[in-house]
Amino acid sequence: MCYQVIERYSVCRCLYYKHAIDPCPSHGQRGHGVQEKTVLVGYTCSSHSSHRPETAYAGVLPDSGYGSGAYPPAQQ
Ligand SMILES: [Zn+2]
Ligand SMILES: [Zn+2]
């Protein structure tokens, strides 16, 4: 089976680079398909990295001082 490596950003899944098809000996036969191999690279593309990529991990982070002024600290 021929395969084609497709690199995508691991966070936004935008296309990073599409490699040329790597043909196998049976390439060109009727009904012969090309298998895509997705390789994840980096984090986000340039158009998505402007949107604070750390927000993608905000739900995973524990309370590590991430308030950033949203609430006043310890108002008792
Ligand atoms: Zn093939
Ligand atoms: Zn993107």
Side-chain angles (χ1 to χ4, degrees):
M1 178 69 78
C2 316
Y3 70 92
Q4 179 178 26
V5 176
I6 297 179
E7 299 185 40
R8 289 183 180 278
Y9 290 93
S10 59
V11 174
C12 66
R13 298 303 178 106
C14 286
L15 181 66
Y16 172 69
Y17 188 77
K18 204 172 191 177
H19 290 257
I21 297 175
D22 191 11
C24 73
S26 56
H27 177 67
Q29 291 184 7
R30 185 196 299 268
H32 185 70
V34 176
Q35 178 152 17
E36 294 184 354
K37 275 187 62 171
T38 303
V39 178
L40 298 180
V41 297
Y43 295 102
T44 57
C45 66
S46 56
S47 62
H48 286 113
S49 60
S50 58
H51 301 293
R52 302 206 321 166
E54 66 266 24
T55 54
Y57 303 102
V60 184
L61 285 175
D63 52 340
S64 59
Y66 222 75
S68 72
Y71 297 99
Q75 202 176 39
Q76 297 180 8

